[in-house]
Amino acid sequence: KPDGSFDQVLALESMFHFSSRTSFFSEVSRLLRPGGRFVFTDILGTHKSRGLAQERASYEAEISRSMAPWPDLWGDSICYEDMARANGLRLDFMQNISRQTLPSYRCFLTDAHGGLAVETAIDRGVAAMRYLQEQGYLKVVLGVCEKPVAAGED
């Protein structure tokens, strides 16, 4: 698509699958017109996840096996404000929405009788994510960026 083709870009629970969040921010910036908005959710590790040490590799393997690609599960070096600024965007809003998203795991892990169903590789990956999020090792964030209108542009 040509530069400035979109008024809005929406990326819900998808950025963690891309090879580079930074490259994705760059592409979003290229595609947005001045004044355009970028709304996203992302899943990444919390500071607490760094204390998992050896367990991190096991969780990473389980989640990657079932939900690949996931090139940067923990996102240790992610700073959305820096990524936005480096790509000509302004981060206007950022919120941890983990608590609001936890109930959605029931949709993926409940069998026909209302019990917990962890039978397939995907179920095991979702169960691992649920555990990590419940324990505060993973978080879901909601962000909104805008591509500023340059002086003299309208």
Side-chain angles (χ1 to χ4, degrees):
K1 295 281 183 183
D3 294 358
S5 299
F6 292 93
D7 294 327
Q8 299 177 38
V9 173
L10 180 65
L12 301 178
E13 294 189 17
S14 57
M15 288 195 326
F16 47 83
H17 289 297
F18 303 152
S19 59
S20 166
R21 288 171 174 101
T22 302
S23 295
F24 181 65
F25 264 67
S26 176
E27 185 64 6
V28 166
S29 180
R30 183 186 73 76
L31 291 170
L32 277 177
R33 67 161 178 75
R37 297 180 71 81
F38 169 39
V39 178
F40 64 91
T41 60
D42 200 4
I43 301 172
L44 64 157
T46 64
H47 290 293
K48 184 178 175 181
S49 70
R50 294 179 183 148
L52 284 172
Q54 294 175 325
E55 297 98 331
R56 277 176 70 132
S58 296
Y59 285 117
E60 205 167 311
E62 185 66 54
I63 292 169
S64 292
R65 248 192 316 276
S66 62
M67 304 179 147
W70 200 311
D72 184 13
L73 173 62
W74 306 104
D76 289 329
S77 62
I78 300 296
C79 178
Y80 298 103
E81 189 169 9
D82 289 348
M83 281 193 297
R85 189 179 315 109
N87 290 289
L89 301 171
R90 182 183 65 238
L91 182 65
D92 290 337
F93 180 82
M94 177 63 61
Q95 182 174 344
N96 183 333
I97 60 169
S98 298
R99 191 178 39 142
Q100 293 89 341
T101 63
L102 273 170
S104 67
Y105 286 104
R106 283 192 305 255
C107 298
F108 297 99
L109 295 174
T110 305
D111 67 16
H113 307 288
L116 186 63
V118 181
E119 301 167 1
T120 67
I122 291 175
D123 293 340
R124 287 188 295 278
V126 170
M129 287 180 57
R130 176 183 171 179
Y131 171 79
L132 291 168
Q133 193 173 334
E134 286 174 337
Q135 300 306 309
Y137 297 119
L138 279 183
K139 64 182 174 181
V140 180
V141 296
L142 168 66
V144 179
C145 294
E146 184 171 322
K147 186 170 186 175
V149 177
E153 280 185 19
D154 288 309

